[in-house]
Amino acid sequence: MNNQDYIELDRQAQSILTLNDQGNYTVPTKGLYPFQWNWDSALVALGYASFDTDRAWREIETLMRAQWESGMVPHIVFWQDDEGYFPGSKEWGTHHSPPTSGITQPPVAATIVRKLYERSGDKDRAAKLIDALDKWHQWFATARDPEQRGLVAIIHPWESGRDNLPDWDKPLSFVDTSEVGTYQRRDTQHIDADQRPSETDYDRYMALVRFGRDRNWDDKAIAADSPFWVADVGINAILRRAEYDLACLAETLGNTQLATRAHQRAKRLEKGFEGLWSDELNGYVSLDMHRNEKAQNLSAGSWLAFYAGHVLPDHAEPMIALLNSWISQVEFAIPSFDPSHELFDSIRYWRGPVWAIINWMIADGLAQNDHDALAERVRRDTETLISTAGFYEYFCPLTAKGGGGDSFSWTAAMWLAWVSPTSEKTGIQES
Ligand code: DGY
């Protein structure tokens, strides 16, 4: 690729964000995902930051306007109606204004806000957001870690953002689907069914939506007997990093009380995270907290341990060896699931494909842990995937074929913020 090629892709990436821009928030892609999604928006802000800082802040400010009184920040905000998506606001039954879903998503926002502040120096906008971010993180610490184990639980696979990862297969198998009834999926009207979660998965997803709705989305009632209560390695790594970034940002802004609170929560999460280590697999894995059972496999979420913070050498060494072995089994890094596992599926959503946003987080973590060459390999592969296939939702690690939605906002954002050498970048910050 020469400079002109990069500049052409920069231009395409910007026009995808503009195409999906609804004014104050950005849809992930038209049709398949027609609302505001939580972690999509946070990551998309990083893309806007390369060409429109004001628009970047606005993306996150809009998301935080949907925060619940409890501190929870919902995974979908239904700012307008759209019949093309299921389950819509009626099925969630949260009775909130604006209408929202009843669950959350990976809290990547504080990390992005820190980057926006470091780039723009806008104290006022950062200061207005950190209280809301602190409240969200505190909600995780109380509602999702009531026993103070230093591990937060998800109550639905959608909260992990990695919907049909094999990690959830066993915990989901205990979910009773007998009352689900009939419903009409919309996702498979937009995308081939062999790229999407199975019917069995969807029944379980809907049973969990119903479970929360029947309890009026009350945190205590849900924590008391949620059929799904799993410490996702990915969300725990992302929250740990977010707490650390929030603490650093609060300190810079002179809010020492908030900085201390975030630091204390980060320390607790750091300790708890070691509970996800598997000697057997030589990596960090998800944990079904109901049954105290660890997942029998690694996923791309395992490498997010590097993004979370410093990984000690006795863990880092075997992890890097394993990561290299994963990479040697595919053409393009990093598959979302173990390519040697029988459940690996190169094109079905989170059961194998490569995702640009996960690659960015892992590369950021590898660089922060002094594995620069590997971080650069991940960037280069992401560049090849996007320049070969286009701005797809995700990519096949074997053939580079694009999968899921096209003209996808967060893929465009990652191109602008990280992959492209010509786009004015927000860069990978040292932390
Ligand atoms: C979906 O509908 O596929 C989403 O991932 C849920 O957030």
Side-chain angles (χ1 to χ4, degrees):
M1 298 242 301
N2 61 36
N3 254 23
Q4 266 323 102
D5 298 329
Y6 286 121
I7 290 166
E8 170 54 23
L9 285 164
D10 296 344
R11 203 193 50 72
Q12 285 179 25
Q14 285 193 15
S15 57
I16 286 172
L17 292 189
T18 308
L19 172 81
N20 292 335
D21 186 359
Q22 307 296 300
N24 291 321
Y25 70 94
T26 309
V27 297
T29 185
K30 294 220 159 128
L32 181 64
Y33 299 127
F35 309 110
Q36 182 173 31
W37 258 261
N38 183 325
W39 73 326
D40 290 74
S41 264
L43 290 155
V44 155
L46 210 53
Y48 280 122
S50 71
F51 66 100
D52 185 346
T53 319
D54 170 63
R55 185 62 191 78
W57 283 109
R58 227 171 334 122
E59 188 74 25
I60 298 189
E61 288 160 355
T62 307
L63 173 68
M64 298 313 281
R65 284 216 311 274
Q67 182 169 38
W68 287 16
E69 197 42 49
S70 65
M72 199 274 275
V73 181
H75 102 294
I76 303 177
V77 191
F78 301 101
W79 291 109
Q80 86 290 318
D81 289 333
D82 195 311
E83 289 299 310
Y85 181 81
F86 178 88
S89 63
K90 215 168 62 238
E91 283 76 29
W92 288 98
T94 57
H95 309 297
H96 268 262
S97 176
T100 71
S101 69
I103 58 173
T104 194
Q105 243 183 354
V108 75
T111 299
I112 308 294
V113 168
R114 181 182 176 198
K115 287 182 188 296
L116 293 187
Y117 172 71
E118 285 171 348
R119 183 189 175 85
S120 68
D122 196 329
K123 255 187 160 177
D124 283 354
R125 287 180 106 157
K128 280 191 189 123
L129 284 171
I130 58 172
D131 286 324
L133 292 166
D134 177 48
K135 202 171 160 193
W136 185 17
H137 293 187
Q138 187 55 44
W139 171 83
F140 268 111
T142 42
R144 296 308 179 78
D145 184 15
E147 292 170 357
Q148 310 223 323
R149 290 175 66 167
L151 286 172
V152 297
I154 55 169
I155 60 164
H156 195 297
W158 287 343
E159 289 197 318
S160 74
R162 299 183 298 149
D163 304 6
N164 64 341
L165 186 70
D167 290 29
W168 323 135
D169 291 2
K170 179 128 187 245
L172 273 181
S173 69
F174 300 101
V175 173
D176 176 10
T177 56
S178 56
E179 308 266 311
V180 165
T182 54
Y183 58 90
Q184 166 109 58
R185 279 177 73 166
R186 297 285 182 189
D187 59 324
T188 43
Q189 294 174 344
H190 299 286
I191 304 289
D192 284 353
D194 64 359
Q195 296 186 14
R196 296 289 303 172
S198 68
E199 295 296 331
T200 311
D201 280 338
Y202 249 81
D203 281 351
R204 292 163 174 168
Y205 299 160
M206 293 318 298
L208 290 171
V209 169
R210 185 189 170 125
F211 175 85
R213 191 181 60 219
D214 287 351
R215 279 150 194 79
N216 279 324
W217 300 104
D218 177 79
D219 289 326
K220 284 208 171 93
I222 290 173
D225 62 348
S226 173
F228 189 88
W229 189 258
V230 179
D232 162 30
V233 61
I235 209 170
N236 277 280
I238 289 168
L239 179 60
R240 237 182 92 190
R241 168 66 180 267
E243 290 286 28
Y244 179 74
D245 285 325
L246 181 62
C248 293
L249 179 56
E251 217 153 271
T252 313
L253 297 173
N255 190 337
T256 44
Q257 279 186 354
L258 198 160
T260 306
R261 272 199 305 278
H263 248 303
Q264 281 166 351
R265 290 190 303 253
K267 283 276 152 229
R268 194 164 81 198
L269 289 168
E270 195 179 318
K271 260 180 131 173
F273 200 77
E274 289 311 309
L276 301 181
W277 179 258
S278 162
D279 278 329
E280 203 185 320
L281 294 166
N282 263 326
Y284 294 93
V285 295
S286 299
L287 170 72
D288 181 342
M289 295 212 275
H290 270 337
R291 295 164 194 89
N292 214 21
E293 253 178 50
K294 286 187 178 141
Q296 295 302 302
N297 51 263
L298 300 189
S299 72
S302 306
W303 319 120
L304 291 178
F306 292 114
Y307 173 82
H310 180 61
V311 182
L312 292 171
D314 59 334
H315 284 172
E317 273 169 32
M319 284 172 69
I320 292 291
L322 265 175
L323 177 55
N324 277 316
S325 137
W326 274 35
I327 293 175
S328 71
Q329 295 169 60
V330 294
E331 290 297 319
F332 306 100
I334 295 172
S336 45
F337 190 63
D338 182 352
S340 65
H341 198 283
E342 60 181 0
L343 294 175
F344 173 77
D345 181 338
S346 66
I347 200 66
R348 196 185 283 275
Y349 215 34
W350 289 96
R351 297 174 87 88
V354 181
W355 294 71
I357 53 133
I358 298 290
N359 273 7
W360 168 69
M361 285 188 236
I362 296 173
D364 181 303
L366 288 169
Q368 140 181 293
N369 279 271
D370 298 324
H371 296 286
D372 296 306
L374 209 42
E376 173 53 16
R377 161 77 202 257
V378 176
R379 190 205 62 78
R380 231 182 24 249
D381 282 9
T382 315
E383 175 184 309
T384 309
L385 288 166
I386 294 174
S387 58
T388 308
F391 292 90
Y392 274 89
E393 185 176 6
Y394 60 77
F395 306 90
C396 171
L398 308 176
T399 65
K401 182 175 181 287
D406 193 0
S407 299
F408 215 87
S409 296
W410 69 13
T411 309
M414 291 302 104
W415 176 270
L416 292 168
W418 167 55
V419 180
S420 168
T422 48
S423 149
E424 196 200 334
K425 289 185 286 208
T426 48
I428 293 170
Q429 305 282 342
E430 289 300 320
S431 45

